[in-house]
Amino acid sequence: MATEHYRGIPIPRRMHRYWNTTSGRYWRQGIDAAIDAAPFFVEPGQIWADNDYRLEGRTLRVDHVEDGVAYCTVLTNYKHVDDMIGNGHSPDLNKVGTTTQIRTRRFTADARGYRLLTQPTPVISMSLGSGKELT
């Protein structure tokens, strides 16, 4: 094998022996998946929806991000929770308005991650000419 790197990643010495085997293909697929994954930049004000089919309907607003953790407010419940509340179950199941913490690495487009619905709206300020600003 002529190269010591695969897509900029150093190839472990023991991998050279298995390069053309199933183990080598799995290693390359892992590198490809990590590099080709579209990174999401989690920012305050974004609205995200849960991708998990079991938790359909839940949406979150990112309030702030700190040390790889997004602090979010729940905007809508899971669909089945809304159905249960509508059928007379405990209103304590309602999570709208509560806050939750989610690691930013979970904001990916896979089946257990989240999908971005809306970006935050920029604040535009205009001068009214009277010294006051309209935001």
Side-chain angles (χ1 to χ4, degrees), residues 21-36:
T21 66
T22 302
S23 298
R25 283 191 299 276
Y26 283 145
W27 185 86
R28 291 190 304 274
Q29 286 174 356
I31 297 298
D32 291 341
I35 290 175
D36 295 338

Side-chain angles (χ1 to χ4, degrees), residues 7-134:
R7 297 190 68 181
I9 306 295
I11 299 170
R13 189 183 320 147
R14 67 181 175 276
M15 186 54 63
H16 292 283
R17 177 187 309 164
Y18 303 107
W19 190 253
N20 292 318
T21 66
T22 302
S23 298
R25 283 191 299 276
Y26 283 145
W27 185 86
R28 291 190 304 274
Q29 286 174 356
I31 297 298
D32 291 341
I35 290 175
D36 295 338
F40 286 113
F41 297 101
V42 182
E43 299 174 349
Q46 292 175 329
I47 308 293
W48 293 81
D50 204 320
N51 274 345
D52 194 334
Y53 70 93
R54 300 168 298 175
L55 309 174
E56 180 184 0
R58 178 177 156 183
T59 57
L60 308 161
R61 181 187 64 238
V62 177
D63 297 325
H64 71 280
V65 180
E66 185 178 315
D67 296 329
V69 176
Y71 295 85
C72 305
T73 300
V74 177
L75 299 178
T76 58
N77 287 315
Y78 303 121
K79 186 176 182 287
H80 72 275
V81 169
D82 279 338
D83 293 343
M84 291 174 65
I85 292 170
N87 290 335
H89 285 80
S90 172
D92 294 337
L93 295 172
N94 187 2
K95 299 297 180 194
V96 173
T98 61
T99 57
T100 185
Q101 300 174 20
I102 302 170
R103 294 211 176 271
T104 54
R105 67 175 180 239
R106 297 256 341 270
F107 289 90
T108 60
D110 65 6
R112 297 286 172 96
Y114 295 86
R115 67 185 178 281
L116 182 63
L117 295 180
T118 60
Q119 289 284 358
T121 19
V123 175
I124 301 170
S125 61
M126 300 169 29
S127 176
L128 298 176
S130 61
K132 296 181 181 177
E133 286 193 358
L134 176 67

